[in-house]
Amino acid sequence: MPGFEIFGEEEKRQVQDVLETGVLFRYGFDKARKGHWKALSFEKELAKKIGVTHAHLCSSGTAALSTALAACGVGAGDEVIVPPFTFIATIESIVMAGAIPVFAEIDDSLCLDPSSIESKITEKTKAVIPVHMCGAMAKIDSIVDLCKKHGLILIEDACQALGATFNNKPIGSFGDAACFSFDAVKIVTCGEGGGIVTNNEKIYTNAFMFADHGHDHIGNDRGLENHPILGLNFRICELNAAVGLAQLAKLDRMIGIQRKTKKILSETLLSCAGVTLQNIPDPAGDSATFISFILPDEDRARDISKKLAQEGVDGCFYWFDNNWHYIRQWNHFKNLSSTARLPVSLDGYNDFSFIKTPVSDSIMSRTISMQIKLSWSDEEIKERCNRIRKNFK
Ligand SMILES: *Cc1c(COP(=O)(O)O)cnc(C)c1O
């Protein structure tokens, strides 16, 4: 990761197709577009890749999450169970839907611990959103079983896990719906973009209407189209979709490179005292965008994190201190009443500072992740391994 490292002729050619027609809108203009339907083609390829019947592109992964919640009928007053380790967008989309995020714990997979979900279920619980973090996957089979048992909607936040599989089944094909991000730093990028995938016809129809002001897209006169529901504009532009189409064709190659690099880094890290690696439920299905490792205690993790930075081992994340990915520093969320007034009311909730996730704290305070770059030469990987070993001495 990220896909921008291997931009080439393919992306240029796809964008050129669009520029030559001048049709940037994904709908209509049938004659002028000369047969180029980039968003539509990307959706077909994405659905094929994930092995689902439907995909709908959005303007971002965040927009895809909002669209998925709306399409699944999750809204005001509903509780949604989530992990405390995710990009804040997962939480934003829930809050902006008027729903209430309820935090379960993560385990050493760095994803939602299935065994911590059940105690969080109340009569208001409507959905569970596990997040497949850092290119790997949650224990999705157990989460599917739990959701079935309790009649809960399952939406996978697969924004970081495009191309990952669990028992040979693509991540994103387990839930009622799943969301992907194609933002500037994701493995497949379109600059800004996202997508929702599903096997459910009704969820798909809701999603494509919601993401375009509720239009039903029946007939070709937009002014006379029906709009059965209210929606928003979460449309992707043909230029962005064109880039994503070229990038998606490179996904398998990108994952191949990352897995090779990760194997070398894994061997190095495992040879260092006290290091354990993120527990990956199905290692063969890891998309290998990151290598995450866990240290015996917080002090050691802080020390190693500092040393890696000093040694120029770049692309390392100590999430526990990070403002975006772990709940500990989400003060703007924890004290909603102190931030700008929300457009929605959360059933009286405006203070989430009571939330405690001690098990997750213990794991995240000891975890460091390293981004795996596509552009590293064999020499650079070797040098990186040498520096890692030196830091652990
Ligand atoms: C990137 C990301 C998102 C949001 O995607 P954008 O396209 O940046 O809006 C949501 N969830 C996770 C886990 C992400 O990593």
Side-chain angles (χ1 to χ4, degrees):
M1 92 174 288
F4 70 69
E5 290 182 278
I6 55 161
F7 261 43
E9 286 309 311
E10 303 81 0
E11 284 79 2
K12 285 186 203 157
R13 195 172 49 74
Q14 288 288 352
V15 170
Q16 197 60 35
D17 283 347
V18 178
L19 291 178
E20 272 164 16
T21 67
V23 180
L24 308 186
F25 198 53
R26 65 158 299 173
Y27 299 113
F29 299 92
D30 292 28
K31 227 168 119 202
R33 64 194 315 136
K34 302 201 175 97
H36 295 302
W37 299 87
K38 300 304 182 187
L40 214 54
S41 308
F42 188 177
E43 282 163 354
K44 281 202 182 114
E45 291 302 315
L46 181 64
K48 203 158 82 188
K49 187 86 210 158
I50 307 304
V52 294
T53 48
H54 301 291
H56 186 75
L57 292 180
C58 292
S59 47
S60 70
T62 311
L65 283 162
S66 289
T67 301
L69 287 165
C72 291
V74 181
D78 294 332
E79 292 181 357
V80 182
I81 297 175
V82 286
F85 179 44
T86 177
F87 180 55
I88 186 72
T90 321
I91 312 308
E92 289 170 330
S93 65
I94 294 167
V95 168
M96 293 303 173
I100 299 145
V102 173
F103 292 84
E105 298 274 14
I106 59 162
D107 59 20
D108 61 358
S109 69
L110 305 183
C111 300
L112 200 54
D113 177 0
S115 74
S116 83
I117 294 175
E118 230 156 10
S119 68
K120 300 290 174 187
I121 297 174
T122 71
E123 70 277 7
K124 286 187 180 173
T125 309
K126 184 83 171 267
V128 179
I129 307 188
V131 186
H132 303 288
M133 283 305 276
C134 304
M137 76 294 301
K139 292 168 179 155
I140 194 69
D141 53 345
S142 308
I143 297 174
V144 167
D145 290 347
L146 266 171
C147 288
K148 280 202 181 121
K149 182 175 157 198
H150 294 279
L152 301 175
I153 293 163
L154 172 56
I155 299 172
E156 294 173 77
D157 182 338
C159 286
Q160 295 193 8
L162 181 66
T165 57
F166 179 80
N167 292 344
N168 288 320
K169 189 169 145 55
I171 288 301
S173 65
F174 289 87
D176 295 289
C179 298
F180 291 100
S181 165
F182 310 113
D183 79 20
V185 294
K186 296 298 204 285
I187 182 163
V188 160
T189 180
C190 1
E192 297 285 3
I196 161 172
V197 298
T198 179
N199 279 315
N200 183 312
E201 183 81 34
K202 180 93 173 72
I203 293 174
Y204 168 69
T205 307
N206 285 344
F208 91 62
M209 291 194 293
F210 183 80
D212 185 23
H213 306 291
H215 287 305
D216 64 4
H217 300 275
I218 295 169
N220 51 20
D221 185 339
R222 285 183 64 79
L224 291 178
E225 269 179 288
N226 290 315
H227 24 85
I229 59 170
L230 278 175
L232 285 163
N233 173 7
F234 285 153
R235 292 185 307 258
I236 197 162
C237 161
E238 283 287 276
L239 285 170
N240 297 78
V243 176
L245 195 53
Q247 285 260 297
L248 190 61
K250 299 178 178 180
L251 178 62
D252 292 345
R253 197 177 106 215
M254 292 195 273
I255 290 177
I257 296 170
Q258 287 167 180
R259 285 182 177 160
K260 215 170 122 227
T261 307
K262 185 159 179 175
K263 192 156 175 284
I264 300 168
L265 290 169
S266 300
E267 282 159 12
T268 299
L269 279 164
L270 284 173
S271 74
C272 299
V275 173
T276 50
L277 297 181
Q278 170 190 16
N279 170 16
I280 297 181
D282 177 13
D286 182 10
S287 73
T289 50
F290 282 91
I291 182 159
S292 299
F293 51 101
I294 305 176
L295 293 145
D297 57 60
E298 179 175 341
D299 288 347
R300 182 71 170 148
R302 286 187 180 280
D303 181 47
I304 291 292
S305 171
K306 213 164 87 194
K307 279 187 182 157
L308 287 170
Q310 280 164 359
E311 271 292 320
V313 182
D314 60 357
C316 293
F317 298 87
Y318 181 61
W319 307 108
F320 198 54
D321 283 351
N322 172 302
N323 284 334
W324 286 7
H325 293 84
Y326 189 62
I327 194 169
R328 189 167 85 102
Q329 304 270 41
W330 293 344
N331 294 325
H332 61 321
F333 159 69
K334 288 197 253 183
N335 302 298
L336 280 178
S337 55
S338 69
T339 51
R341 190 158 179 268
L342 286 177
V344 289
S345 145
L346 294 191
D347 240 16
Y349 280 83
N350 57 15
D351 179 355
F352 286 87
S353 56
F354 65 89
I355 293 165
K356 298 274 180 286
T357 50
V359 178
S360 306
D361 283 353
S362 157
I363 295 165
M364 293 315 295
S365 64
R366 294 181 291 124
T367 300
I368 299 173
S369 299
M370 187 186 291
Q371 196 179 16
I372 293 175
K373 288 229 172 133
L374 294 163
S375 52
W376 286 340
S377 66
D378 290 349
E379 201 45 52
E380 282 172 300
I381 296 168
K382 223 165 104 189
E383 176 61 23
R384 182 165 282 260
C385 289
N386 288 339
R387 290 186 191 190
I388 292 171
R389 272 191 221 99
K390 208 171 123 200
N391 278 314
F392 275 90
K393 286 257 160 65

